[in-house]
Amino acid sequence: MSVRVGVVVFPGSNCERDAAKVMTSLGAQAEMLWHADASVQDCDAVVVPGGFAHGDYLRPGAIARFSPVMSAVAAFADAGGPVVGICNGFQVLTEAGLLPGALQKNRGLKFLCTTVEVRVESPRSVLTSRVAPGTILHIPVNHFEGNYTCAPSTLRELQSDERIILRYVDNPNGSIDDIAGICSPGRNVVGLMPHPERASDPLLGSADGVALLSSLLDAAGGPAKPHGPWAQDRDREMPARLSTAAGTPSSRQAS
Amino acid sequence: MKFDVLVEIRLRPGIADPQGATIERALPALGFAGVSQVGVGKAIRFTLDAPDEAEARAQVEELCRRFLANPVIEDSEMSLSVGAAP
């Protein structure tokens, strides 16, 4: 039976179909999870997609965190289930307290819509287990509030626990320590500003996101959940499987 | 008792305020010299029904902490007064 990935849909989400399409093309079954239903419907992984949940009123994610589905997502995450928040989904996860810190307005007060280089810093997360550290991925960003910030003590914790899993090569938004993506202490909850689902086919300009989303499917279908392969020892040698996962990747190893 | 409540949300010290900075940069061109320390926040007004002022303040504080402000990046300040009779 194929892996079931739940994609949360808030009023104002707008990347849910892109996420579901990639999951389906990778062999998973995608289930839309309406925000008003307090259930993740037996899914093996949950994606909180990009968009403008509840219009981003008050603050991005501030109202979405009170949607009934978020209590189910929190329970799923607490049980070790893989959860990935992309862009607005990252903002929702920080507001919900599933990830630390906050996303403030971009430095320069500019809405950013461009493809950036992102370096994978750690393979120890549900989103990066298939990618060797140092790998540079080309993935689009599309956000106004993507400038990650947190308390100095939180930053030290993220750094020392190797929970900064993605960094910008050329920081576009002022994010602290070039952070593009982080994970929870259990490494099963990940938030990132770049959109891997928009880098899922060479026709879109890059297929580098496939390696990330394939990692998520590994975590969802892994026999050892909730303590899947992403939780293993950090010294484990990670094979770079980009070439098989992404078809014709534009990725390359960092020099 | 009815209370008129004004909650002011502002960015915490050290948090970048690109809106404030942009407004400040625009002012000299309009002939306003000498304006500095521009900060952009939010003002949220509402009325609250509570038994007394202490209870009203406690409720607003909780509301700010859990919802109206994000304590990672924002501070909040409340002003509270007994509302006009209906």
Side-chain angles (χ1 to χ4, degrees):
Chain A
M1 210 178 92
S2 61
V3 165
R4 280 162 61 93
V5 178
V7 182
V8 176
V9 185
F10 297 102
S13 295
N14 63 16
C15 301
E16 72 276 14
R17 288 180 187 279
D18 308 53
K21 170 124 179 46
V22 182
M23 292 304 168
T24 308
S25 72
L26 293 175
Q29 191 185 336
E31 295 288 335
M32 294 301 182
L33 304 175
W34 180 238
H35 83 110
D37 299 329
S39 164
V40 296
Q41 296 180 20
D42 288 328
C43 284
D44 304 300
V46 171
V47 173
V48 187
F52 300 85
H54 296 277
D56 275 358
Y57 292 158
L58 190 58
R59 295 181 305 279
I63 295 172
R65 65 172 278 221
F66 292 109
S67 280
V69 74
M70 287 311 295
S71 54
V73 171
F76 179 74
D78 285 348
V83 176
V84 171
I86 300 167
C87 196
N88 190 228
F90 186 9
Q91 295 162 342
V92 171
L93 294 181
T94 58
E95 283 283 343
L98 291 175
L99 289 170
L103 283 311
Q104 56 175 330
K105 285 191 172 60
N106 295 340
R107 176 183 60 196
L109 204 62
K110 281 208 167 64
F111 189 100
L112 293 169
C113 183
T114 182
T115 295
V116 297
E117 289 189 332
V118 177
R119 186 172 58 246
V120 175
E121 300 287 7
S122 171
R124 295 174 61 231
S125 83
V126 292
L127 196 70
T128 51
S129 61
R130 278 196 181 211
V131 191
T135 305
I136 308 281
L137 306 174
H138 292 81
I139 303 185
V141 292
N142 188 24
H143 60 244
F144 191 28
E145 280 103 350
N147 179 351
Y148 182 82
T149 187
C150 61
S153 57
T154 305
L155 181 62
R156 282 193 296 275
E157 208 174 287
L158 291 174
Q159 290 165 335
S160 62
D161 293 350
E162 201 186 305
R163 283 166 54 198
I164 300 167
I165 57 163
L166 299 168
R167 278 198 176 92
Y168 300 111
V169 172
D170 186 9
N171 191 336
N173 58 24
S175 180
I176 194 167
D177 200 18
D178 301 333
I179 288 175
I182 58 170
C183 70
S184 64
R187 319 196 83 82
N188 60 311
V189 180
V190 167
L192 74 165
M193 289 313 296
H195 284 270
E197 81 282 9
R198 295 190 191 177
S200 56
D201 190 291
L203 269 178
L204 298 175
S206 168
D208 289 0
V210 171
L212 297 177
L213 296 171
S214 301
S215 301
L216 178 64
L217 295 186
D218 284 353
K225 63 180 174 176
H227 301 292
W230 63 90
Q232 285 178 13
D233 181 51
R234 72 175 70 191
D235 296 328
R236 187 164 74 106
E237 197 175 328
M238 294 304 303
R241 282 186 267 176
L242 280 175
S243 54
T244 53
T248 52
S250 53
S251 338
R252 59 182 182 271
Q253 291 293 117
S255 53
Chain B
M1 288 174 81
K2 289 255 191 228
F3 294 91
D4 291 330
V5 184
L6 169 64
V7 171
E8 199 184 323
I9 314 281
R10 55 173 77 113
L11 291 167
R12 296 185 61 176
I15 297 296
D17 181 2
Q19 292 185 96
T22 304
I23 290 170
E24 196 168 320
R25 275 202 306 276
L27 290 172
L30 299 174
F32 294 96
V35 180
S36 63
Q37 307 292 314
V38 177
V40 175
K42 296 173 197 154
I44 302 172
R45 291 175 198 278
F46 54 95
T47 61
L48 175 68
D49 209 346
D52 55 47
E53 183 172 338
E55 173 63 23
R57 285 188 182 277
Q59 282 191 28
V60 175
E61 248 166 52
E62 175 76 357
L63 180 58
C64 287
R65 191 179 62 76
R66 291 186 52 201
F67 185 39
L68 295 183
N70 180 338
V72 178
I73 52 174
E74 294 169 330
D75 286 329
S76 60
E77 196 177 300
M78 75 170 100
S79 321
L80 191 140
S81 58
V82 178

